[in-house]
Amino acid sequence: MAEVKLEELPGVGPATAEKLRDAGYNDLMSIAVENPKTLADVADIGESTAVKIIAAAKQAADVGGFESGDSILERRKKLNRLTSCSKAFDELLGGGLETQSICEFFGEFGSGKTQMCFQLAVNATMPVSKGGLDGDVIVIDTENTFRPERIVQIAEALDLDPIETLQKIHVARAFNSSHQMLLVEKAQEIALKTPIKLMVVDSLTAHFRAEYVGRGTLAERQGLLNKHMHDLLRFADVNNAVIAVTNQVAAKPDAFFGDPTRPVGGHIVGHASTYRLYLRKSKGGKRIARLIDSPNLPEAEVVITVSEEGIRD
Ligand code: GTP
Ligand code: MG
């Protein structure tokens, strides 16, 4: 698959190849899974040309066909696991957060979603032998809650150099939902130069929820959220990275749900998330993390602690 260059695809000259690379389409797989309209836009080509390019990329990358169960098993062996620094929590997920997947943390304010993201950001920079992913981190911060001081505390608690850790965490503030979506594309550009092993989106849904108010806007909001989730999943696949996103619960009955403890974004977010975790406050700095809706793990819950050092058992 890596043997075929973009220029070898029919309809891709040097100029188009450069535009594609600039937009983050650096390998056949990323083109093979794109839709024609988006590809036509980014490469300044006609949609029919885009269709041909995508078809050729699919063939060259050998996607779109069926795969035998044993080869899927083989591919899944390449998955890496990211520790949370809580043994119980890692076990809940079958050994830590899995690469090539989206992990969604939802819960009320103060339930520890952002603290978990800080911990994961620090951990992802650690070597694989320590439960890390030995890579850099992208943080898309929509609520201006990223605190480098907390990263320093959490890194120091693990005997890591805090400045080196901060240098590996690339933070962007997303000002609205379309900016948030654009930042995923920008992240892919960074990922071409530096291996990104974790992307945090905190919060996934806040902008969408604030901008699309009322029943008449629901379809549009869900459509955009759907695209956003798929962009994130693609990033996870292409980079063998973990995606961690946070989500709020609807404080008042949302237009979607009568139940006030349901996460925002409905089935679109729930379906695209590989793991959904419900965090809630308990006594004395403790939090309860409940795994909901996993493809291969039982629904269960564990107790974790949020302290100055970060997340622990
Ligand atoms: P929203 O973003 O408002 O929805 O909430 P969240 O779920 O992101 O909450 P967050 O992760 O920011 O959790 C905040 C809570 O973490 C605080 O109320 C504290 O209980 C705890 N916390 C944060 N920093 C520290 C710390 O340095 N020491 C201790 N012991 N607890 C902390
Ligand atoms: Mg938060």
Side-chain angles (χ1 to χ4, degrees):
M1 180 172 132
E3 301 305 314
V4 182
K5 294 202 180 78
L6 297 192
E7 284 88 344
E8 290 169 32
L9 295 171
V12 180
T16 304
E18 200 176 318
K19 276 182 193 149
L20 287 170
R21 282 199 196 93
D22 283 349
Y25 298 88
N26 205 39
D27 61 9
L28 295 173
M29 185 63 88
S30 61
I31 293 171
V33 299
E34 190 49 275
N35 69 64
K37 187 163 183 348
T38 308
L39 202 72
D41 283 351
V42 298
D44 270 330
I45 50 175
E47 225 173 295
S48 61
T49 310
V51 169
K52 281 182 204 137
I53 293 173
I54 290 167
K58 274 184 179 150
Q59 207 166 23
D62 195 22
V63 292
F66 289 91
E67 208 178 350
S68 62
D70 66 322
S71 74
I72 295 174
L73 183 66
E74 210 47 49
R75 183 155 47 80
R76 286 185 57 81
K77 280 183 191 156
K78 294 193 186 107
L79 296 181
N80 290 323
R81 298 278 186 168
L82 172 62
T83 185
S84 65
C85 283
S86 157
K87 234 182 159 160
F89 184 83
D90 287 356
E91 275 166 20
L92 184 69
L93 295 185
L97 283 78
E98 208 175 58
T99 58
Q100 300 176 38
S101 75
I102 298 179
C103 193
E104 176 199 350
F105 296 94
F106 73 95
E108 283 181 7
F109 66 93
S111 59
K113 305 180 294 291
T114 296
Q115 301 304 314
M116 178 61 90
C117 292
F118 290 156
Q119 183 73 60
L120 294 173
V122 170
N123 292 0
T125 68
M126 295 196 298
V128 174
S129 61
K130 288 188 167 174
L133 297 171
D134 199 15
D136 282 29
V137 176
I138 295 272
V139 176
I140 299 179
D141 179 13
T142 76
E143 309 192 291
N144 204 15
T145 51
F146 180 80
R147 293 290 175 273
E149 298 82 0
R150 282 294 285 146
I151 298 291
V152 169
Q153 286 178 326
I154 292 169
E156 280 174 346
L158 292 169
D159 283 327
L160 299 170
D161 183 314
I163 298 303
E164 272 177 32
T165 306
L166 282 169
Q167 282 165 348
K168 291 179 186 167
I169 302 176
H170 311 268
V171 187
R173 177 88 200 276
F175 294 101
N176 55 47
S177 64
S178 55
H179 186 212
Q180 181 179 333
M181 293 174 73
L182 189 70
L183 285 170
V184 180
E185 284 174 37
K186 290 278 163 210
Q188 187 52 47
E189 285 170 28
I190 296 180
L192 297 179
K193 293 172 214 130
T194 317
I196 304 294
K197 288 296 169 190
L198 169 69
M199 171 140 61
V200 169
V201 186
D202 185 12
S203 136
L204 175 75
T205 48
H207 280 318
F208 288 93
R209 197 180 174 198
E211 290 164 26
Y212 296 87
V213 195
R215 247 186 197 286
T217 62
L218 271 179
E220 195 185 350
R221 177 180 93 174
Q222 292 306 87
L224 287 167
L225 259 175
N226 189 39
K227 181 181 185 311
H228 189 36
M229 294 305 284
H230 283 91
D231 290 347
L232 291 171
L233 256 185
R234 195 179 72 177
F235 186 95
D237 280 346
V238 170
N239 298 291
N240 193 25
V242 171
I243 310 285
V245 303
T246 70
N247 193 1
Q248 290 131 319
V249 287
K252 282 184 249 155
D254 200 65
F256 266 109
F257 300 114
D259 179 351
T261 62
R262 298 303 295 271
V264 176
H267 298 301
I268 296 284
V269 173
H271 248 96
S273 301
T274 323
Y275 300 101
R276 296 202 105 171
L277 290 138
Y278 178 39
L279 297 182
R280 62 186 200 275
K281 282 187 230 176
S282 181
K283 284 171 220 139
K286 300 227 182 304
R287 302 286 188 282
I288 296 163
R290 180 169 190 84
L291 178 67
I292 288 168
D293 233 17
S294 154
N296 58 334
L297 295 165
E299 193 162 316
E301 57 184 38
V302 297
V303 178
I304 58 176
T305 314
V306 181
S307 73
E308 193 171 313
E309 289 82 48
I311 305 291
R312 293 292 185 276
D313 271 321

